[in-house]
Each structure stands twice: as structure tokens, then as C-alpha cells.
Amino acid sequence: MTPNDPTAQGLATMASTGFEFGGDPEQVAHDVRAMWEQLGQPAGAFEAAARAIAVLPQRPEVPIADQARRRAFERAIGINPVEVELVAAMSARELLERMARSVSC
């Protein structure tokens, strides 16, 4: 399975979003594993999902002069800061890598 596979991207998105919204590792792992099981436990899915974190869509870049205005707008409508998204993506990748190792053992 490749990182561009819809299954891998779906699991990656689920993991990253779980962390972004404040989920703890155990809950995110439970949710991702449940989805993986519903999908028929495809081989290589966790490893591909971990790699898919790097290819998920990101926010468009904003010139430095416009960043303060963008942050104020995002804060006003309840969008997490980009730093929260990055930490969530890193946490998701680490979790998916651990899950891949646990399935291959």
C-alpha cells in the first residue's frame, strides 16, 4: 500500500485529526484501529498511513506581512493554530508507526 492510497490517507487523517482535537494516544489508537478493522485489516495500512502524514494537504502559505491578520481571523472562527496541526501530525505519525510495528510483530 502506498501513502497515496485512499485507505492510508483516511487513516492518517483520522489519526491527525484525533490529536488535533485533543484526543489522547490511547483513544486515537482505538479509533484508528476500529476503522482499520472495519476496512478488513489491510496489510501495510498503518505503515502507509504513517508515510501519508507527509502528503496530506496543508494550509497554503501566507506572506509574513499577512500572517498576523490570518492568525486573528483563524482565532476568531475557531481554527487551531498551525503549530497545533503540526504537533498533531507528528503525534499521528509516531502513533501510526508504533501501530505498524505492533501489527508486524
Side-chain angles (χ1 to χ4, degrees):
M1 183 175 296
T2 70
N4 292 321
D5 186 282
T7 297
Q9 290 197 357
L11 293 172
T13 299
M14 178 179 246
S16 186
T17 302
F19 282 112
E20 189 176 337
F21 287 108
D24 62 65
E26 293 79 23
Q27 183 60 49
V28 175
H30 174 271
D31 294 344
V32 171
R33 185 172 299 280
M35 178 59 71
W36 174 71
E37 289 170 354
Q38 288 179 349
L39 295 169
Q41 302 178 353
F46 294 137
E47 182 180 347
R51 292 189 326 245
I53 294 290
V55 298
L56 290 177
Q58 300 294 316
R59 292 186 198 186
E61 291 186 33
V62 174
I64 290 176
D66 296 333
Q67 288 182 3
R69 192 174 90 233
R70 175 179 163 172
R71 277 192 301 277
F73 172 74
E74 290 173 344
R75 197 172 24 253
I77 62 172
I79 296 175
N80 281 330
V82 70
E83 295 84 2
V84 171
E85 290 181 5
L86 291 172
V87 169
M90 290 170 32
S91 297
R93 183 174 184 155
E94 290 172 6
L95 174 73
L96 291 163
E97 288 171 344
R98 279 195 310 272
M99 292 176 80
R101 285 190 300 274
S102 73
V103 169
S104 66
C105 295

